[in-house]
Amino acid sequence: MRESGPGQDERDMLAAVLETQRDVLAMTCAGLSEAQMATPAVPPSTLTLGGLVGHMAEVERAWFRRVLAGEDVPMRWSRFPGDDFGFDGPADTAYDAWYEESARSREIVAAAPGLEATGTHPRRGPVSLRWILCHMIEEYARHNGHAEVLRAAIDGVPVTVDR
């Protein structure tokens, strides 16, 4: 995990907090089989850890590549805007997709001239890198809570995060 703390500028701090949230999701899924990643662990919900990881791959792709960088790339699984953004993505490819999208997001953040760099969201209009980083931290924090509940239901192994 990247350290965040006093003395860092705002951009480095936000990037470090986002990286910590990514690390929490990775640690929550660590050691699970493909079948466990595809198991809906809290009926009647059909949400799986693989689906949640796929969702985060789609969210990374949407906000950093499509909105901020303006890349004309299709979504991996979503059929239309607002279509659950990958919750139904295949568990066997979700983790690799998430890893690739997170790596590309890091590159885009590093290349941006500053936190005021903007991209255009189709419904929200202009959004800054600062706003996107804060939104992504919030997105991960919410779904990491879901992931911890799913993991506990799958194998009872508590998620320990050295914070």
Side-chain angles (χ1 to χ4, degrees):
M1 281 189 224
R2 291 171 75 184
E3 293 292 321
S4 62
Q8 282 187 312
D9 70 14
E10 184 182 8
R11 179 182 176 147
D12 288 343
M13 181 189 63
L14 290 171
V17 172
L18 177 55
E19 197 62 32
T20 296
Q21 292 297 318
R22 288 178 180 131
D23 290 345
V24 169
L25 183 57
M27 287 184 277
T28 303
C29 297
L32 293 177
S33 69
E34 190 176 304
Q36 288 171 313
M37 291 289 290
T39 300
V42 187
S45 173
T46 59
L47 182 62
T48 68
L49 277 170
L52 203 143
V53 170
H55 171 74
M56 294 313 300
E58 290 284 63
V59 171
E60 292 267 1
R61 187 177 187 96
W63 284 107
F64 290 107
R65 293 182 70 179
R66 293 169 57 105
V67 172
L68 187 63
E71 294 181 12
D72 185 19
V73 292
M75 298 306 289
R76 289 177 181 263
W77 299 290
S78 300
R79 295 172 296 275
F80 53 87
D83 176 34
D84 287 342
F85 273 60
F87 282 123
D88 296 327
D92 61 335
T93 59
Y95 196 83
D96 288 341
W98 175 63
Y99 183 80
E100 290 169 15
E101 294 301 336
S102 296
R104 180 68 183 118
S105 296
R106 287 182 201 95
E107 292 171 359
I108 291 167
V109 170
L115 288 172
E116 299 308 319
T118 60
T120 303
H121 186 273
R123 289 185 316 276
R124 296 177 194 263
V127 291
S128 68
L129 173 57
R130 175 183 287 108
W131 187 92
I132 292 170
L133 288 168
C134 289
H135 176 69
M136 290 298 294
I137 291 165
E138 180 266 337
E139 183 87 9
Y140 271 98
R142 177 177 54 250
H143 291 312
N144 280 339
H146 301 141
E148 289 181 19
V149 169
L150 289 167
R151 175 64 189 248
I154 289 169
D155 65 4
V157 174
V159 178
T160 55
V161 179
D162 183 19
R163 296 186 180 147

